[in-house]
């Protein structure tokens, strides 16, 4: 049997997924930030602020923000004086991030195109690794986790912010209806692109539940793993240590 991976609700060959995910993010890059606000009613800002509070970046630390896209997490972390590298596989997303950094007068960030599955950074280079709303788009999640482990030094910390499945009764049904029916329509109205937003919703549903993803993080070698569900698990912060 040939290996297949999920692309939203479809099963595709691994090499096809990378190209299709690339096309999704290239097509939404210019509208990505405004769409995040529209789809989450601004809530993604609150989740990202909380995430960065958990990471606790410190001056002088080397931090890799993987799948960093247009820089939302990096902009929040650079205020600490940490040295941040923003990496993403998609140059269109990084280009929007670089423009945003210039508009804000931020010149301390390093922008580096990278595939999370095969990083070009040396072993043990970083003190912390962050990935926000990125890991579910990666073709082989286990390879990305292994690379995160490799590039972290001993005592290094891993933090992942990702959508999951809310357990709040009632809210789950409303959210399901909203995400499947309204999100693609909002995507069409604002970004002129329903299909990309349909993929983004479907990819959330296909991502492993919190206990399973935590197990994968442990299998990559991380210790003291923790899951912090937000809004009943609609979003979750996963963390672990390389010790
Ligand atoms: C939903 S965006 C998140 C961007 C940003 N972290 C944020 O929270 O706003 C997901 C990002 O993952 C990136 N991505 C997908 N597959 C990747 C891979 N294999 N390696 C690195 N980045 C990847 C996409 O290009 C996209 O920029």
């Amino acid at each position: 049997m040939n290996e297949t991976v999920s692309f939203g609700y479809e099963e595709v060959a691994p090499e096809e997924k990378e190209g299709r995910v690339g096309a999704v993010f290239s097509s939404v890059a210019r509208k990505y930030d405004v769409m995040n606000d529209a789809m989450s009613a601004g809530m993604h800002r609150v989740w990202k602020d909380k995430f960065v509070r958990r990471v606790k970046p410190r001056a002088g630390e080397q931090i890799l923000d993987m799948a960093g896209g247009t820089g939302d997490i990096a902009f929040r972390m650079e205020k600490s004086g940490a040295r941040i590298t923003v990496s993403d596989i998609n140059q269109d997303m990084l280009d929007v991030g670089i423009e945003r950094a210039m508009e804000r007068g931020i010149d301390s960030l390093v922008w580096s195109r990278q595939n999370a599955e095969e990083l070009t950074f040396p072993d043990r280079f970083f003190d912390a690794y962050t990935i926000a709303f990125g890991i579910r788009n990666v073709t082989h999640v286990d390879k990305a986790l292994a690379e995160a482990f490799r590039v972290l030094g001993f005592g290094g910390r891993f933090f992942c912010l990702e959508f999951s499945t809310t357990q709040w009764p009632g809210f789950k049904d409303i959210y399901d209806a909203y995400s499947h029916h309204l999100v693609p329509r909002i995507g069409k109205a604002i970004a002129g692109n329903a299909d990309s937003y349909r993929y983004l919703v479907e990819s959330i549903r296909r991502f492993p539940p919190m206990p399973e993803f935590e197990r994968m993080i442990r299998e990559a070698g991380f210790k003291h793993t923790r899951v912090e569900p937000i809004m009943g698990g609609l979003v979750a912060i996963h963390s672990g240590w390389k010790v």
Side-chain angles (χ1 to χ4, degrees):
M1 270 276 288
N2 291 333
E3 185 200 0
T4 61
V5 291
S6 68
F7 175 79
Y9 290 161
E10 287 179 60
E11 285 296 317
V12 299
E15 49 287 2
E16 185 182 338
K17 173 161 176 162
E18 197 176 298
R20 287 179 71 178
V21 169
V24 164
F25 286 104
S26 288
S27 73
V28 303
R30 296 264 143 213
K31 293 281 167 127
Y32 178 76
D33 298 303
V34 61
M35 272 299 291
N36 270 348
D37 277 331
M39 287 187 314
S40 73
M43 285 303 291
H44 75 109
R45 295 169 185 261
V46 178
W47 301 330
K48 286 170 178 170
D49 286 345
K50 183 171 193 152
F51 179 66
V52 169
R53 280 201 301 278
R54 295 292 179 268
V55 178
K56 291 193 189 73
R58 288 183 288 261
E61 281 189 323
Q62 287 283 1
I63 303 185
L64 176 59
D65 182 39
M66 195 63 231
T70 61
D72 263 9
I73 301 297
F75 295 148
R76 283 169 170 78
M77 294 199 296
E78 68 83 34
K79 296 177 189 135
S80 66
R83 285 171 281 170
I84 317 287
T85 302
V86 191
S87 285
D88 199 285
I89 199 169
N90 191 304
Q91 193 61 45
D92 294 320
M93 292 289 280
L94 290 175
D95 286 345
V96 174
I98 292 165
E99 280 173 29
R100 289 175 84 203
M102 284 188 329
E103 282 159 19
R104 292 164 186 226
I106 296 172
D107 61 4
S108 58
L109 301 174
V110 175
W111 301 84
S112 169
R113 187 175 182 192
Q114 299 273 337
N115 182 348
E117 293 183 25
E118 38 191 339
L119 303 176
T120 60
F121 305 113
D123 295 357
R124 298 183 292 278
F125 187 76
F126 293 100
D127 301 298
Y129 176 110
T130 57
I131 183 162
F133 303 119
I135 196 104
R136 74 177 193 278
N137 300 295
V138 168
T139 307
H140 298 102
V141 173
D142 54 342
K143 286 190 189 165
L145 292 173
E147 280 293 81
F149 192 81
R150 180 183 70 77
V151 299
L152 279 171
F154 292 106
R157 53 207 197 279
F158 168 87
F159 281 91
C160 175
L161 177 66
E162 191 51 89
F163 285 105
S164 193
T165 313
T166 183
Q167 306 299 330
W168 283 352
F171 181 59
K172 185 178 183 313
D173 300 330
I174 295 167
Y175 174 70
D176 271 352
Y178 163 75
S179 56
H180 276 108
H181 300 296
L182 269 178
V183 167
R185 286 191 197 179
I186 301 173
K188 189 164 183 210
I190 299 182
N193 189 335
D195 287 345
S196 291
Y197 284 92
R198 194 166 294 115
Y199 157 74
L200 291 173
V201 169
E202 290 176 1
S203 64
I204 293 169
R205 296 311 141 82
R206 291 301 302 264
F207 194 68
M210 287 177 270
E212 194 180 328
F213 184 47
E214 185 179 12
R215 182 184 51 73
M216 292 171 80
I217 295 169
R218 278 200 305 271
E219 277 173 9
F222 290 102
K223 304 278 192 249
H224 312 300
T225 57
R226 199 170 163 238
V227 191
E228 184 180 356
I230 302 171
M231 296 177 78
L234 175 69
V235 174
I237 298 174
H238 286 263
S239 57
W241 292 77
K242 178 169 173 177
V243 288

